[in-house]
Amino acid sequence: MAIHSPYSDKSILILDDLPEMRSSLRTQVGTLGCEKVAVSSNVKDALEQFKTTRFDVILCDYYLAGGTDGQQFLEYLRTRNVIGRGVLFVMVTAEKGYQNVVTVAECLPDDYLLKPFTAEALKGRVQRLVEKKKRLLKVDAMQDKGNWPGVIVACDEIITAKDRHMVDAMRIKGNALIMAGKADQAVEFYQQMIAMRPMPWAQLGLARAMHQSGDVAGGKNALQSLIIESPKMMAAYDLLGRLHQETGDHDEALAVLDSACEISPNSLARHRAIASVAEETGDFSRVEQALNQVVKKTRNSPLRETKDFARLGNALTEMGEPAKAVQLLEEARTSFKEDANNPLLAAVEAVAQQKAGRPEQAEQALSRAMQGGVSNLPQDIAMAVAKACLATGKQDEGESILKNLVQGAPDATGLHGKISGVLREHGLTERADALVAESMREIVQLNNEAVRRARAGELTAAAEMLVDAAQRLPGNVQIVTNASFALLFDVYTNGLDPAKIRLAQQFQQSAQAQNPKHPKLAEIADLMGRIRNKYAAGKA
Amino acid sequence: MDFADLAAFTIHDAKNRLALVATRAEASGDAETLRGILESSASLTRLLTYYKAEKNSLGAEIDARVPADLVNELLQDISKQTTLTVSADLSAAPTLWFYDENLVRMVLLNAIYNALRFAQKKIVISAVDRNGWLEFSVADDGPGFPPEQLGAIDNMLPVSRDGTGLGLYLAQRVAALHSNAGRTGRIELINKGGAVFTLRLPQ
């Protein structure tokens, strides 16, 4: 029956491991008038289908075969941007209660359908969800692009209209304020939400915003009371665990994450979080225990992460079992072909091979780790590569990576401590005391030199120096803001240069995102205004 | 495995099977069978909810919802299961309200299945914004509630016109989970041209 239907052009994917459930859902979807319906029995097959088809709606059963569930699948899709926010993801389940196992608000399905349901109910639900996506089309597209200021404006339009999507827009706006680095506005916004009604997502948002504004204690308090009121709000445990970890309260962090695991034992993200806290305290048997579960659950699934294997390998080496580590890491390297040269995996393997008495293999692994360059590696990976250098006797290379890490994060005293610790572990006691101080001194000298040149009227040279440094050390907010300021001052004094202004704005935005309260940001904004006035006046 | 886990697992399994048969019954237009299946499934949901309530682990996940959507969804569902006339009155429904949609759906569904047993010709489901309260009502044109059941229900006793009484008991529990600014939700039973079940939820 080819009845005209608003859904005839919608493409739908049904994912369920039970054949009879698949055909049952298919029958129901058929009554919607959908012509493009695909079915999958497992995640692997579903991911294959994503390569060739753009789906509008995904109906996914919570229980999937092969050690994964619908929530893990959704987290994978969203975190890897396999699907945009415009794609509808509906979780099908026989009971309620899965809503709260979600770790990240971003990874909530658009809706839950409780079995059994009639085709009529399915139709109504899909219809409403399609309408909602239509209303949020602009907002979703800007979210996908990370255009948070745009998202805020678009949400405000919907909030002002006070229609049925008002609260959806509020939820998105709160997150957008945080993502745009407007922590204080976010705190105020969530407080207004809570005054309207203390919804758990608003309380969680308030905690996130407080944390971002630097009020970690306030964030912790908000989360602790949220957990008492909504004991199944798993995201609250996860964030509280992270805050405890940040403030160095490792025992509290583990206690919170453990209690979360008791309520919901299947979250991969939570086991990973436990492993990361235990790594910091050096409790590697705990790391092994947590990551073993993750690796066991994902080993044969497309949802596996190379990083889990690397970290588990590292834990095994630390526990004095380098042979076991080598076995695991070689398995990962040979079976995950696309990640054979993953720098973390290779760095961890280098250490394991060295400790297992195979220096040649260690050397090969290290060169794989460094072949893509080391300057742009994320902090934890750079650290692992530095360790591999030190373990294989390449002290200069190792120290140079560590120096870059210190200079890239001059305020991260925790990281500095770790760096000294690593040097000490490798018998470099003197360097452990000196390296951090030397690296910091170098940055101060660089800043002083730039200031001297600027005072001497060499504005362009001063700006160039700082731009170089800022590009090498994007995490050093002081350098990044100084580079932005120097570029603008050069423009203010020596004349308009669009390329310099663009670069200055990039640095400004990067600093804004990292530390919205940095005092130099106000000076930059002020100077920007003066440039505008000066050149606008010139034109007139 | 303790009994509770086994029960939860069994209920899950039973619902999956019921979902399969329900699809078949709906596809062949067999309203009576469909209703039997969905009603059975609803009682399994109540059983599980009762267990949670007794273990004090029944919590409300309150969020902003659209009452009209819930009523329309119930209406679509029920129309497929009966030959009686079921209609909705949403003329005074608020755009948004704050409640746990799954729990409220369970309560209303139970009231509707009750009404289906006693109604002569019609049932009206409504959502009304009345002085800062949202009133969900299910009204039938049957003989009405027996006099001893009328009024505000807050004695927490399992009473009902039919069955085990679990439905009303849970309705009270669910209503009580919805409180805000010193006001708490409640259930009211009145007779007005038939039985009228009302769930009142504070703003």
Side-chain angles (χ1 to χ4, degrees), chain A residues 37-52:
Chain A
V37 184
V39 290
S40 259
S41 61
N42 60 62
V43 167
K44 195 174 171 205
D45 179 65
L47 287 173
E48 279 303 312
Q49 306 226 31
F50 278 108
K51 287 182 188 160
T52 52

Side-chain angles (χ1 to χ4, degrees), chain A residues 331-344:
Chain A
E331 176 204 318
R333 170 157 55 85
T334 47
S335 55
F336 314 161
K337 285 172 201 93
E338 71 283 6
D339 268 343
N341 293 322
N342 177 294
L344 181 64

Side-chain angles (χ1 to χ4, degrees), chain A residues 212-271:
Chain A
Q212 194 185 36
S213 76
D215 181 6
V216 183
K220 282 187 187 179
N221 277 336
L223 291 168
Q224 273 150 351
S225 44
L226 175 55
I227 287 173
I228 293 168
E229 286 162 37
S230 309
K232 287 182 186 155
M233 179 85 181
M234 304 319 294
Y237 295 77
D238 293 322
L239 182 57
L240 183 56
R242 225 168 59 224
L243 297 200
H244 281 316
Q245 186 179 5
E246 265 177 34
T247 51
D249 300 305
H250 296 109
D251 291 344
E252 283 85 349
L254 282 178
V256 168
L257 293 170
D258 280 344
S259 56
C261 268
E262 264 172 46
I263 301 169
S264 134
N266 278 324
S267 161
L268 299 177
R270 197 159 304 117
H271 287 298

Side-chain angles (χ1 to χ4, degrees), chain A residues 104-118:
Chain A
V104 205
E106 287 283 278
C107 295
L108 273 170
D110 292 289
D111 208 352
Y112 292 86
L113 265 175
L114 299 185
K115 284 187 281 191
F117 47 83
T118 60

